[in-house]
Amino acid sequence: MSRTLFTNIGLLVTNDSRHHASGSRAAERLGLIEDAALVVEGERIIWVGTAHAAEVSGGHDIDAVIDCGGRAMIPGFVDSHSHLVFAGDRAAEFEARMAGVPYTAGGIRSTVTATRGASESELTRLLADRAAELLAQGTTTFETKSGYHLDLLGEPLACQLAKEITDEVTFLGAHVVPSEYGGRGHESVAVLGTREDYLDLVCGPMLEAAAPNARWIDVFCDDGAFTVAEARRVLEAGMRLGLAPRLHAAQLAPNSEAIAMGVQLGCASIDHCTYLTDDDVALLASSSTVVTLLPGVEFSTRSPYPDARRLIDSGVTVAISTDCNPGSSFTSSMALCISLAVREMGMTVPEAIWAATAGGALALRRDDVGAVVVGARADLIELDAPSYVHLAYRPGVPLTRRVWKNGVVAA
Ligand code: NIG
Ligand code: FE
């Protein structure tokens, strides 16, 4: 296997706190190394240290050298929450929202209509384009969900297509109740059954067909979507088939029962958590469940941002993610989310960088990504900047100079 030395890295974020370059105390968990180098063999990192140490040891048997020109390097972003399997967009809904119309879960159904109308090849092309868009911006690992077909054939198909672009596939047949099962818009469609009938479908044949291509089971437990009892039923059904649970909750209103249920079932992550009580925060802090904050949603729905400072100060593990979807957050930019997390949610810059890399990895229960350590995948971003700080300090500026995924230049 060929070995590549990456050297002349002005500042390396490892997320390994055993490294302590000079820097603020807040940056300690980033495990910074100044004037760094690393060695990649095949798709894995096999050595990390200073450029000086790499030179002195000289014994890495290197086939190629990549000079990073003194620029900063960070682990590839881990975007642990997206909804990429869809057709159409909802620009008009966004435009209306910016003119004062509030966001509701109901908009999901217009994407369902567009997605059901798209062919498999069209969805495949859309997914490939979206995966490329993420990678070009430094996202080397991402999760994505079904949830815009909401029917027996479409939901498993969405998982199958998603599996072609990522290993982190989530079955979200319980996104909302579709119109033909009595959900909003049922007045204008032929009704096939009740809400309970839809849940039977989701927890039965739909789940069985989707499960072979999914790792995770998720449900949208919020106003206008599913109740806590319904959400529990869906998660437990998925868990019986070997899927691991995660949850959308407390996006639109406080929902302590949903938080308690998610923690009790051992969700890897509860996502959104825009509205939390002090008791919810204490419970999350005492658990191994990550809270994934999605600042693109508050931005795009003009909603109050969650208080990340309060969560972190209470000991909750926080990840940040794009939630890329056509309704509540049509951004694929982790860098934008970092800027928003810092500016609007009270996170320090190092906390936001950590949450977008190591935090995302924890939210996906992955130990092979999100850090630059021996044995990890060589997923790396070379920034067009001398420091990771520029990701928040230069909002909106594309700073991804080169991206490697599994040791191969990907963008
Ligand atoms: O995570 N909250 C539920 N689902 C998506 C929104 C989907 C949509 O509006 O299309 C979310 O924000
Ligand atoms: Fe979501």
Side-chain angles (χ1 to χ4, degrees), residues 13 15 30 74-75 77 320 338 342 347-359 388-389 391-392:
V13 172
N15 285 336
L30 292 185
I74 66 170
F77 294 128
I320 56 181
I338 288 169
V342 170
M347 291 174 91
T348 66
V349 179
E351 283 165 350
I353 300 291
W354 188 92
T357 51
Y388 63 86
V389 180
L391 283 166

PDB file of all heavy atoms in Angstrom, residues 13 15 30 74-75 77 320 338 342 347-359 388-389 391-392:
ATOM      1  N   VAL A  13      -5.868  20.334  13.327  1.00  0.00           N
ATOM      2  CA  VAL A  13      -6.877  19.970  14.333  1.00  0.00           C
ATOM      3  C   VAL A  13      -6.952  18.450  14.340  1.00  0.00           C
ATOM      4  O   VAL A  13      -7.317  17.842  13.324  1.00  0.00           O
ATOM      5  CB  VAL A  13      -8.257  20.549  13.974  1.00  0.00           C
ATOM      6  CG1 VAL A  13      -9.341  20.003  14.911  1.00  0.00           C
ATOM      7  CG2 VAL A  13      -8.241  22.070  14.015  1.00  0.00           C
ATOM      8  N   ASN A  15      -8.461  16.686  17.164  1.00  0.00           N
ATOM      9  CA  ASN A  15      -9.516  16.270  18.114  1.00  0.00           C
ATOM     10  C   ASN A  15      -8.990  15.218  19.089  1.00  0.00           C
ATOM     11  O   ASN A  15      -9.780  14.469  19.686  1.00  0.00           O
ATOM     12  CB  ASN A  15     -10.769  15.738  17.409  1.00  0.00           C
ATOM     13  CG  ASN A  15     -11.592  16.862  16.787  1.00  0.00           C
ATOM     14  OD1 ASN A  15     -11.500  18.001  17.221  1.00  0.00           O
ATOM     15  ND2 ASN A  15     -12.381  16.543  15.793  1.00  0.00           N
ATOM     16  N   LEU A  30      -9.440  20.389  20.817  1.00  0.00           N
ATOM     17  CA  LEU A  30      -9.138  20.226  19.392  1.00  0.00           C
ATOM     18  C   LEU A  30      -7.796  19.534  19.166  1.00  0.00           C
ATOM     19  O   LEU A  30      -7.488  19.158  18.034  1.00  0.00           O
ATOM     20  CB  LEU A  30      -9.140  21.584  18.672  1.00  0.00           C
ATOM     21  CG  LEU A  30     -10.490  22.290  18.546  1.00  0.00           C
ATOM     22  CD1 LEU A  30     -10.345  23.554  17.708  1.00  0.00           C
ATOM     23  CD2 LEU A  30     -11.554  21.378  17.934  1.00  0.00           C
ATOM     24  N   ILE A  74      -8.077  20.167   8.993  1.00  0.00           N
ATOM     25  CA  ILE A  74      -9.012  19.649  10.017  1.00  0.00           C
ATOM     26  C   ILE A  74      -9.562  18.300   9.545  1.00  0.00           C
ATOM     27  O   ILE A  74      -9.468  17.978   8.354  1.00  0.00           O
ATOM     28  CB  ILE A  74     -10.182  20.638  10.285  1.00  0.00           C
ATOM     29  CG1 ILE A  74     -11.086  20.780   9.048  1.00  0.00           C
ATOM     30  CG2 ILE A  74      -9.666  22.016  10.698  1.00  0.00           C
ATOM     31  CD1 ILE A  74     -12.375  21.557   9.330  1.00  0.00           C
ATOM     32  N   PRO A  75     -10.150  17.527  10.455  1.00  0.00           N
ATOM     33  CA  PRO A  75     -10.793  16.282   9.999  1.00  0.00           C
ATOM     34  C   PRO A  75     -11.969  16.626   9.074  1.00  0.00           C
ATOM     35  O   PRO A  75     -12.581  17.681   9.229  1.00  0.00           O
ATOM     36  CB  PRO A  75     -11.334  15.648  11.292  1.00  0.00           C
ATOM     37  CG  PRO A  75     -10.702  16.394  12.422  1.00  0.00           C
ATOM     38  CD  PRO A  75     -10.312  17.739  11.909  1.00  0.00           C
ATOM     39  N   PHE A  77     -15.646  16.942   7.738  1.00  0.00           N
ATOM     40  CA  PHE A  77     -16.876  17.138   8.518  1.00  0.00           C
ATOM     41  C   PHE A  77     -17.704  15.848   8.555  1.00  0.00           C
ATOM     42  O   PHE A  77     -17.735  15.095   7.576  1.00  0.00           O
ATOM     43  CB  PHE A  77     -17.743  18.241   7.902  1.00  0.00           C
ATOM     44  CG  PHE A  77     -17.128  19.610   7.951  1.00  0.00           C
ATOM     45  CD1 PHE A  77     -17.036  20.386   6.803  1.00  0.00           C
ATOM     46  CD2 PHE A  77     -16.648  20.137   9.149  1.00  0.00           C
ATOM     47  CE1 PHE A  77     -16.463  21.644   6.835  1.00  0.00           C
ATOM     48  CE2 PHE A  77     -16.082  21.400   9.195  1.00  0.00           C
ATOM     49  CZ  PHE A  77     -15.984  22.147   8.036  1.00  0.00           C
ATOM     50  N   ILE A 320     -23.188  19.378  15.719  1.00  0.00           N
ATOM     51  CA  ILE A 320     -23.967  20.236  14.828  1.00  0.00           C
ATOM     52  C   ILE A 320     -23.984  19.630  13.429  1.00  0.00           C
ATOM     53  O   ILE A 320     -23.054  18.947  13.008  1.00  0.00           O
ATOM     54  CB  ILE A 320     -23.484  21.710  14.782  1.00  0.00           C
ATOM     55  CG1 ILE A 320     -22.029  21.822  14.409  1.00  0.00           C
ATOM     56  CG2 ILE A 320     -23.767  22.414  16.075  1.00  0.00           C
ATOM     57  CD1 ILE A 320     -21.547  23.269  14.377  1.00  0.00           C
ATOM     58  N   ILE A 338     -21.330  26.056  11.332  1.00  0.00           N
ATOM     59  CA  ILE A 338     -20.327  26.434  12.342  1.00  0.00           C
ATOM     60  C   ILE A 338     -20.452  27.935  12.636  1.00  0.00           C
ATOM     61  O   ILE A 338     -20.501  28.352  13.799  1.00  0.00           O
ATOM     62  CB  ILE A 338     -18.903  26.072  11.851  1.00  0.00           C
ATOM     63  CG1 ILE A 338     -18.732  24.549  11.893  1.00  0.00           C
ATOM     64  CG2 ILE A 338     -17.829  26.779  12.679  1.00  0.00           C
ATOM     65  CD1 ILE A 338     -17.481  24.034  11.183  1.00  0.00           C
ATOM     66  N   VAL A 342     -21.645  29.486  16.310  1.00  0.00           N
ATOM     67  CA  VAL A 342     -20.796  30.393  17.082  1.00  0.00           C
ATOM     68  C   VAL A 342     -21.524  31.717  17.325  1.00  0.00           C
ATOM     69  O   VAL A 342     -21.607  32.214  18.445  1.00  0.00           O
ATOM     70  CB  VAL A 342     -19.460  30.629  16.338  1.00  0.00           C
ATOM     71  CG1 VAL A 342     -18.659  31.756  16.983  1.00  0.00           C
ATOM     72  CG2 VAL A 342     -18.649  29.332  16.301  1.00  0.00           C
ATOM     73  N   MET A 347     -21.756  29.057  21.032  1.00  0.00           N
ATOM     74  CA  MET A 347     -20.616  28.132  21.076  1.00  0.00           C
ATOM     75  C   MET A 347     -19.320  28.899  20.818  1.00  0.00           C
ATOM     76  O   MET A 347     -19.304  29.870  20.061  1.00  0.00           O
ATOM     77  CB  MET A 347     -20.777  27.024  20.019  1.00  0.00           C
ATOM     78  CG  MET A 347     -21.915  26.074  20.349  1.00  0.00           C
ATOM     79  SD  MET A 347     -22.243  24.860  19.044  1.00  0.00           S
ATOM     80  CE  MET A 347     -21.185  23.524  19.551  1.00  0.00           C
ATOM     81  N   THR A 348     -18.225  28.437  21.438  1.00  0.00           N
ATOM     82  CA  THR A 348     -16.917  28.977  21.064  1.00  0.00           C
ATOM     83  C   THR A 348     -16.545  28.379  19.710  1.00  0.00           C
ATOM     84  O   THR A 348     -17.125  27.360  19.282  1.00  0.00           O
ATOM     85  CB  THR A 348     -15.835  28.591  22.092  1.00  0.00           C
ATOM     86  OG1 THR A 348     -15.665  27.167  22.051  1.00  0.00           O
ATOM     87  CG2 THR A 348     -16.214  29.033  23.508  1.00  0.00           C
ATOM     88  N   VAL A 349     -15.557  28.984  19.062  1.00  0.00           N
ATOM     89  CA  VAL A 349     -15.153  28.430  17.760  1.00  0.00           C
ATOM     90  C   VAL A 349     -14.648  26.991  17.914  1.00  0.00           C
ATOM     91  O   VAL A 349     -15.086  26.099  17.169  1.00  0.00           O
ATOM     92  CB  VAL A 349     -14.106  29.337  17.070  1.00  0.00           C
ATOM     93  CG1 VAL A 349     -13.694  28.728  15.733  1.00  0.00           C
ATOM     94  CG2 VAL A 349     -14.663  30.741  16.864  1.00  0.00           C
ATOM     95  N   PRO A 350     -13.764  26.704  18.879  1.00  0.00           N
ATOM     96  CA  PRO A 350     -13.322  25.302  19.004  1.00  0.00           C
ATOM     97  C   PRO A 350     -14.479  24.337  19.280  1.00  0.00           C
ATOM     98  O   PRO A 350     -14.499  23.229  18.736  1.00  0.00           O
ATOM     99  CB  PRO A 350     -12.346  25.340  20.188  1.00  0.00           C
ATOM    100  CG  PRO A 350     -11.852  26.747  20.222  1.00  0.00           C
ATOM    101  CD  PRO A 350     -13.006  27.600  19.783  1.00  0.00           C
ATOM    102  N   GLU A 351     -15.443  24.756  20.092  1.00  0.00           N
ATOM    103  CA  GLU A 351     -16.585  23.865  20.359  1.00  0.00           C
ATOM    104  C   GLU A 351     -17.347  23.554  19.075  1.00  0.00           C
ATOM    105  O   GLU A 351     -17.786  22.417  18.850  1.00  0.00           O
ATOM    106  CB  GLU A 351     -17.541  24.506  21.369  1.00  0.00           C
ATOM    107  CG  GLU A 351     -17.040  24.440  22.800  1.00  0.00           C
ATOM    108  CD  GLU A 351     -17.790  25.367  23.744  1.00  0.00           C
ATOM    109  OE1 GLU A 351     -18.589  26.217  23.286  1.00  0.00           O
ATOM    110  OE2 GLU A 351     -17.542  25.269  24.969  1.00  0.00           O
ATOM    111  N   ALA A 352     -17.523  24.572  18.236  1.00  0.00           N
ATOM    112  CA  ALA A 352     -18.284  24.357  16.994  1.00  0.00           C
ATOM    113  C   ALA A 352     -17.516  23.461  16.024  1.00  0.00           C
ATOM    114  O   ALA A 352     -18.105  22.588  15.375  1.00  0.00           O
ATOM    115  CB  ALA A 352     -18.614  25.697  16.344  1.00  0.00           C
ATOM    116  N   ILE A 353     -16.201  23.647  15.944  1.00  0.00           N
ATOM    117  CA  ILE A 353     -15.400  22.788  15.048  1.00  0.00           C
ATOM    118  C   ILE A 353     -15.462  21.337  15.552  1.00  0.00           C
ATOM    119  O   ILE A 353     -15.649  20.397  14.775  1.00  0.00           O
ATOM    120  CB  ILE A 353     -13.922  23.271  15.019  1.00  0.00           C
ATOM    121  CG1 ILE A 353     -13.821  24.707  14.514  1.00  0.00           C
ATOM    122  CG2 ILE A 353     -13.048  22.303  14.200  1.00  0.00           C
ATOM    123  CD1 ILE A 353     -14.146  24.928  13.076  1.00  0.00           C
ATOM    124  N   TRP A 354     -15.331  21.178  16.855  1.00  0.00           N
ATOM    125  CA  TRP A 354     -15.394  19.827  17.437  1.00  0.00           C
ATOM    126  C   TRP A 354     -16.766  19.202  17.166  1.00  0.00           C
ATOM    127  O   TRP A 354     -16.876  18.025  16.776  1.00  0.00           O
ATOM    128  CB  TRP A 354     -15.119  19.906  18.951  1.00  0.00           C
ATOM    129  CG  TRP A 354     -14.977  18.571  19.600  1.00  0.00           C
ATOM    130  CD1 TRP A 354     -13.830  17.868  19.795  1.00  0.00           C
ATOM    131  CD2 TRP A 354     -16.045  17.756  20.134  1.00  0.00           C
ATOM    132  NE1 TRP A 354     -14.116  16.671  20.410  1.00  0.00           N
ATOM    133  CE2 TRP A 354     -15.459  16.572  20.621  1.00  0.00           C
ATOM    134  CE3 TRP A 354     -17.428  17.915  20.224  1.00  0.00           C
ATOM    135  CZ2 TRP A 354     -16.222  15.547  21.217  1.00  0.00           C
ATOM    136  CZ3 TRP A 354     -18.188  16.904  20.801  1.00  0.00           C
ATOM    137  CH2 TRP A 354     -17.580  15.736  21.287  1.00  0.00           C
ATOM    138  N   ALA A 355     -17.832  19.996  17.371  1.00  0.00           N
ATOM    139  CA  ALA A 355     -19.198  19.475  17.206  1.00  0.00           C
ATOM    140  C   ALA A 355     -19.472  19.054  15.756  1.00  0.00           C
ATOM    141  O   ALA A 355     -20.259  18.140  15.514  1.00  0.00           O
ATOM    142  CB  ALA A 355     -20.208  20.540  17.646  1.00  0.00           C
ATOM    143  N   ALA A 356     -18.813  19.706  14.797  1.00  0.00           N
ATOM    144  CA  ALA A 356     -19.045  19.412  13.373  1.00  0.00           C
ATOM    145  C   ALA A 356     -18.194  18.236  12.877  1.00  0.00           C
ATOM    146  O   ALA A 356     -18.333  17.811  11.736  1.00  0.00           O
ATOM    147  CB  ALA A 356     -18.743  20.650  12.540  1.00  0.00           C
ATOM    148  N   THR A 357     -17.305  17.756  13.729  1.00  0.00           N
ATOM    149  CA  THR A 357     -16.408  16.667  13.325  1.00  0.00           C
ATOM    150  C   THR A 357     -16.543  15.504  14.332  1.00  0.00           C
ATOM    151  O   THR A 357     -17.307  14.572  14.093  1.00  0.00           O
ATOM    152  CB  THR A 357     -14.956  17.183  13.226  1.00  0.00           C
ATOM    153  OG1 THR A 357     -14.602  17.872  14.450  1.00  0.00           O
ATOM    154  CG2 THR A 357     -14.789  18.140  12.063  1.00  0.00           C
ATOM    155  N   ALA A 358     -15.871  15.630  15.478  1.00  0.00           N
ATOM    156  CA  ALA A 358     -15.942  14.567  16.487  1.00  0.00           C
ATOM    157  C   ALA A 358     -17.361  14.410  17.040  1.00  0.00           C
ATOM    158  O   ALA A 358     -17.804  13.287  17.331  1.00  0.00           O
ATOM    159  CB  ALA A 358     -14.969  14.877  17.635  1.00  0.00           C
ATOM    160  N   GLY A 359     -18.080  15.513  17.186  1.00  0.00           N
ATOM    161  CA  GLY A 359     -19.456  15.441  17.705  1.00  0.00           C
ATOM    162  C   GLY A 359     -20.350  14.658  16.755  1.00  0.00           C
ATOM    163  O   GLY A 359     -21.139  13.797  17.178  1.00  0.00           O
ATOM    164  N   TYR A 388      -8.295  27.066  11.814  1.00  0.00           N
ATOM    165  CA  TYR A 388      -9.698  26.608  11.836  1.00  0.00           C
ATOM    166  C   TYR A 388     -10.651  27.751  12.171  1.00  0.00           C
ATOM    167  O   TYR A 388     -11.829  27.733  11.819  1.00  0.00           O
ATOM    168  CB  TYR A 388      -9.853  25.476  12.867  1.00  0.00           C
ATOM    169  CG  TYR A 388      -9.557  25.935  14.272  1.00  0.00           C
ATOM    170  CD1 TYR A 388     -10.546  26.510  15.058  1.00  0.00           C
ATOM    171  CD2 TYR A 388      -8.263  25.862  14.793  1.00  0.00           C
ATOM    172  CE1 TYR A 388     -10.270  26.989  16.326  1.00  0.00           C
ATOM    173  CE2 TYR A 388      -7.980  26.329  16.057  1.00  0.00           C
ATOM    174  CZ  TYR A 388      -8.987  26.900  16.822  1.00  0.00           C
ATOM    175  OH  TYR A 388      -8.714  27.388  18.055  1.00  0.00           O
ATOM    176  N   VAL A 389     -10.143  28.778  12.865  1.00  0.00           N
ATOM    177  CA  VAL A 389     -11.007  29.897  13.294  1.00  0.00           C
ATOM    178  C   VAL A 389     -11.675  30.555  12.092  1.00  0.00           C
ATOM    179  O   VAL A 389     -12.810  31.031  12.171  1.00  0.00           O
ATOM    180  CB  VAL A 389     -10.184  30.953  14.077  1.00  0.00           C
ATOM    181  CG1 VAL A 389     -11.077  32.106  14.527  1.00  0.00           C
ATOM    182  CG2 VAL A 389      -9.497  30.311  15.273  1.00  0.00           C
ATOM    183  N   LEU A 391     -13.118  29.408   9.691  1.00  0.00           N
ATOM    184  CA  LEU A 391     -14.411  28.826   9.284  1.00  0.00           C
ATOM    185  C   LEU A 391     -15.580  29.625   9.848  1.00  0.00           C
ATOM    186  O   LEU A 391     -16.639  29.703   9.230  1.00  0.00           O
ATOM    187  CB  LEU A 391     -14.496  27.366   9.724  1.00  0.00           C
ATOM    188  CG  LEU A 391     -13.696  26.389   8.866  1.00  0.00           C
ATOM    189  CD1 LEU A 391     -13.552  25.052   9.566  1.00  0.00           C
ATOM    190  CD2 LEU A 391     -14.343  26.214   7.492  1.00  0.00           C
ATOM    191  N   ALA A 392     -15.382  30.221  11.026  1.00  0.00           N
ATOM    192  CA  ALA A 392     -16.443  31.069  11.594  1.00  0.00           C
ATOM    193  C   ALA A 392     -16.174  32.548  11.321  1.00  0.00           C
ATOM    194  O   ALA A 392     -17.110  33.342  11.152  1.00  0.00           O
ATOM    195  CB  ALA A 392     -16.541  30.830  13.101  1.00  0.00           C
TER     196      ALA A 392
END
